[in-house]
Amino acid sequence: MKLQSKLAMILIPLVALPLLAVGWLAYVQLQDTSEGKTRVEMDTKLSQLSRQLETIRQTALANLELFSEAALLTQYLQTGDDLERYSLVQPPLLRLFASYQRAYPQYQEIRVLLPDGYEDARMAVPGVPNRTEEENQTPFFISLAAGQEKVHSAFLENPDTGKISLYASKQIELVDWVKESVTAPPRLRGYLSLTVDLSTVEKQLAANRIGQSGALFAVDPSGTILFHPDPGRIGSTLSGPLLAQLTPLARQQGFATLGLEGGPCLVGGRMLDEELLLFAMLPHAELLGASHRLGLNIALITLAAVLVTFGLHLSGIRALLVRPIQKLGKAAQEIGKGNLELSIDISTRDEIGQLAATFQEMSRNLAESHQRIQFLAYHDPLTGLPNRRMFQELLNYSLAHARRAGHQMALLFLDLDNFKRVNDTLGHHAGDRLLEELATRLSGCLRKEDTLALDSESDCRQTVARLGGDEFTILLPNLKNPFAAASVAKRVLEALSPPFCIDSHEVFTSASIGITIFPGDGEDAATLVKHADIAMYHAKQQGKNNYQYYAASMNAAALERLNLENQLRRALSRGELQLYYQPLVDAATLNTVSAEALMRWRHPELGMISPAQFIPIAEESGLIVAMGAWAVKEACRQLRHWQHLGLRPVPVAVNLSSLQFRHQKIDELVATTLQETGLDPSLLQVELTESAIMQAEEPSVQMLVNLKELGVGIAIDDFGTGYSSLSYLRRFPIDTLKIDRSFIKDILQDADDATITRAIISMAHSLELTVTAEGVETEGQLEFLRDNGCDKIQGYLVSAPVPAAEFVRFMQSPRGENHSAAREASF
Ligand SMILES: Nc1nc2c(ncn2[C@@H]2O[C@H](COP(=O)(O)O[C@H]3[C@@H](O)[C@H](n4cnc5c(=O)[nH]c(N)nc54)O[C@@H]3COP(=O)(O)O)[C@@H](O)[C@H]2O)c(=O)[nH]1
């Protein structure tokens, strides 16, 4: 349900219910008031009427008493002779009656009725005919004769006038002095009767209506209507049940709602001496008309209020509440759709205004966060250069552009030379600084025309991207000819040649760059990147610090390398790996004092593969961890085996990769292997390259300490190729330094190599380290080394690495037993 409808559902009852409640109270109150007022009015008018009628009746009865005392009347009734009575007594009597009528003109008739009902004397006001003289059958006389009362009154229709009149009569009882004894009881001689005209009462009834449609009316005890404002109703008779309800009402002077005249009416009643029932009635239609009108008015007001509320709701509330909320809803939808540049047109100071301001701020913050996220998603956080994702998009875009325009395009893939060494020697922080500085130099050495003409300025600024680590790419769109890429590559190499100043160190670095040209070297992005990578790898192999264009033959080499990696994965489980052993001899005595275990891969189809070829692949793929563990176990197993054969035991050194230190618990591996094989720990040595030991972190150092504590010897391999200082090496529990064979090779020709070698021997001794010279191939080299105090010799001069069986033969030969004697024989 819409908010608007919900508000209407709340507001309409809020407006309508109080109005209806107030209206209902007013309605009930008005009903009570108007009924109360009507009752008072009815009561007043009924009292007046009954008093009036009672007065008329009492006056009539009193006058009857008075008139009956008249001597003429007595004489008249005692005059038995009709002639005498009519001729002599009646005229004066009638004149007397006439005089009464002048005093009481409402007495239409003053009559003398004989006990048998004969109307014997009658004085009537003019205009009142005398329809009958025999009264004995009239209702009045019947009721008069039936009653025992001396006086009698009744409201009846006068048969002479057809109008309701008050009949009042008095029995006249006399003793006939002439015919009867004095003591005889008086006898009924006749009745003196008054017929009282009630037209004044009728007029009053007609004038005194109750409300507009109500009336005062009177009925006799039998239910015949005697008085009624509607003359047509006079003489009609009420129904029995209605009379049964009305009679007690009149008797108790009460009020009730009864069904009269076709509808409910409020009726009030009075009884006049059991003779006359007086009623006042007012139809409910009129009685409650006002309250009904009020109710109707209230209903109309309520309806109007509801309509006004609707109006307000539709205009005011809609403008104040619904529309702003709709705007907020729309704004929220827009924000949801990612449109964060919206402005919400609400400036009220209420909660909605505050909400709108919050929305606005939220969308601003979201926009900022969105921009930040966008930046982070597409840029390298360290250098601020486009990252791999953005590079992909830029490359695709520029490829599409180049295809459309028929341009050539170049992709330069750059990898820093020896970056790892900087990390290892100066730490990762320095490595990061170097990358930052490098990014600045790379960006700075691109010309403006090398940038892409992309849609937005900010997007086209950079065509240098960092893919990760020390790998960077440079896009060169609109290439005039493929050779132009070489000049950019040269500029880059030149830009890198000045030393980088990192944390007060001067760091020299260079890069290897691979170049691919679109469309010659690849039609799509993936191929171009792959070929640029291969070309870069080739540049590394060509001695680093140079650039190489991609050539199809390089691809073949890369494929071969991948193939080798896949096969190397299976080599260990297939038992294709093998350890060769190269003896190390005492420089002075030439006795074999130890050996180095060197891994070999006997490929089923390719034959023996050099470690120089597969060890780097094993390092890069991580396979070296498992292979290195195998080498430790195999060397220990072999040594133990030789011991069982009774061979003279010499310590064997196993090469460990820096990766093993990072991903393997070497100390635990060695301890377990020694325990499993039961080998004397002093017969095992481990060799780590100088660079591996330089990047050793605290856990690796601890592993070396643990190995040392086990009794295992530790040698630093290829010493002199890194940047380590001997004092730095004092941190590590090392026994031996092995001088890299690159120094030994030209030791007799190159004074620097000779000096360095001498210095290394001297400083190592000062640290009480044993020194081994690697790659000794000539007697001259041996001579030099021995003269300068080198402790041990390893090289082809003594023996190349050989399989285990051959090494046994070597050890059992005079050369192995005593090299000095053997040398005499073989060299
Ligand atoms: N992590 C491991 N690395 C290993 C393991 N086995 C070998 N290697 C490393 O592979 C690299 C190449 O080794 P290899 O081809 O065996 O070369 C060794 C010797 O054959 C060679 N050598 C010895 N004497 C001479 C010589 O007089 N002249 C000459 N030109 N070469 C000679 O030197 C290599 C031994 O060097 P080093 O290990 O530095 O003592 C090599 O780096 C091996 O370390 C392995 O199991 N794990």
Side-chain angles (χ1 to χ4, degrees), residues 563-576:
N563 195 26
L564 265 188
E565 184 184 321
N566 289 335
Q567 295 186 28
L568 188 58
R569 286 181 192 282
R570 295 190 288 264
L572 190 59
S573 58
R574 288 180 181 175
E576 292 170 11

Side-chain angles (χ1 to χ4, degrees), residues 498-778:
F500 290 80
C501 185
I502 309 291
D503 296 342
S504 73
H505 292 278
E506 275 202 336
V507 177
F508 289 87
T509 190
S510 59
S512 301
I513 302 172
I515 304 171
T516 43
I517 307 294
F518 169 83
D521 296 336
E523 291 279 337
D524 59 276
T527 310
L528 282 172
V529 173
K530 190 175 83 180
H531 289 170
D533 189 17
I534 290 169
M536 182 278 293
Y537 191 73
H538 187 61
K540 290 256 186 226
Q541 285 178 329
Q542 294 304 307
K544 305 179 178 172
N545 196 22
N546 73 101
Y547 62 87
Q548 293 289 325
Y549 278 93
Y550 171 75
S553 59
M554 292 177 196
N555 201 7
L559 277 175
E560 189 195 326
R561 188 173 172 280
L562 189 68
N563 195 26
L564 265 188
E565 184 184 321
N566 289 335
Q567 295 186 28
L568 188 58
R569 286 181 192 282
R570 295 190 288 264
L572 190 59
S573 58
R574 288 180 181 175
E576 292 170 11
L577 298 181
Q578 203 179 338
L579 285 185
Y580 272 36
Y581 298 89
Q582 187 176 29
L584 275 77
V585 297
D586 184 294
T589 64
L590 298 183
N591 284 337
T592 305
V593 287
S594 62
E596 181 179 357
L598 293 156
M599 205 178 288
R600 294 291 180 266
W601 180 13
R602 192 177 294 280
H603 192 280
E605 286 120 35
L606 304 174
M608 194 63 87
I609 298 177
S610 161
Q613 206 178 342
F614 72 81
I615 290 290
I617 296 173
E619 298 251 8
E620 283 165 25
S621 61
L623 286 169
I624 194 70
V625 176
M627 288 165 63
W630 171 83
V632 170
K633 288 179 186 170
E634 175 58 17
C636 291
R637 186 200 64 75
Q638 188 63 67
L639 270 167
R640 201 75 183 107
H641 180 63
W642 284 334
Q643 279 187 315
H644 287 139
L645 291 177
L647 271 177
R648 179 171 64 87
V650 288
V652 171
V654 179
N655 286 284
L656 294 180
S657 157
S658 61
L659 271 190
Q660 285 180 268
F661 274 92
R662 265 180 266 149
H663 300 290
Q664 205 170 41
K665 291 198 166 35
I666 294 281
D667 49 349
E668 289 176 12
L669 172 79
V670 168
T672 312
T673 309
L674 288 173
Q675 203 180 12
E676 281 171 2
T677 55
L679 186 73
D680 178 357
S682 65
L683 288 177
L684 184 67
Q685 292 177 348
V686 291
E687 285 188 15
L688 294 98
T689 59
E690 185 188 3
S691 60
I693 203 135
M694 291 307 293
Q695 68 192 63
E697 290 169 0
E698 199 46 47
S700 306
V701 177
Q702 187 55 49
M703 279 193 264
L704 287 175
V705 171
N706 294 343
L707 285 173
K708 184 75 184 161
E709 282 174 1
L710 276 174
V712 174
I714 298 169
I716 299 295
D717 206 1
D718 305 337
F719 188 77
T721 54
Y723 289 85
S724 61
S725 65
L726 279 173
S727 58
Y728 178 77
L729 290 177
R730 292 180 71 173
R731 290 174 61 205
F732 305 103
I734 312 163
D735 304 300
T736 304
L737 278 189
K738 293 180 76 176
I739 305 172
D740 191 68
R741 70 169 181 268
S742 59
F743 296 102
I744 308 301
K745 197 164 128 276
D746 299 324
I747 201 168
L748 299 177
Q749 296 83 31
D750 190 326
D752 286 347
D753 285 351
T755 309
I756 291 170
T757 304
R758 266 197 292 269
I760 292 173
I761 295 169
S762 153
M763 283 190 290
H765 283 163
S766 68
L767 292 170
E768 296 179 344
L769 298 176
T770 305
V771 183
T772 299
E774 293 183 295
V776 180
E777 295 181 355
T778 65

Side-chain angles (χ1 to χ4, degrees), residues 4-16:
Q4 210 172 320
S5 310
K6 285 183 184 172
L7 280 171
M9 277 182 67
I10 296 167
L11 282 175
I12 289 169
L14 272 179
V15 172

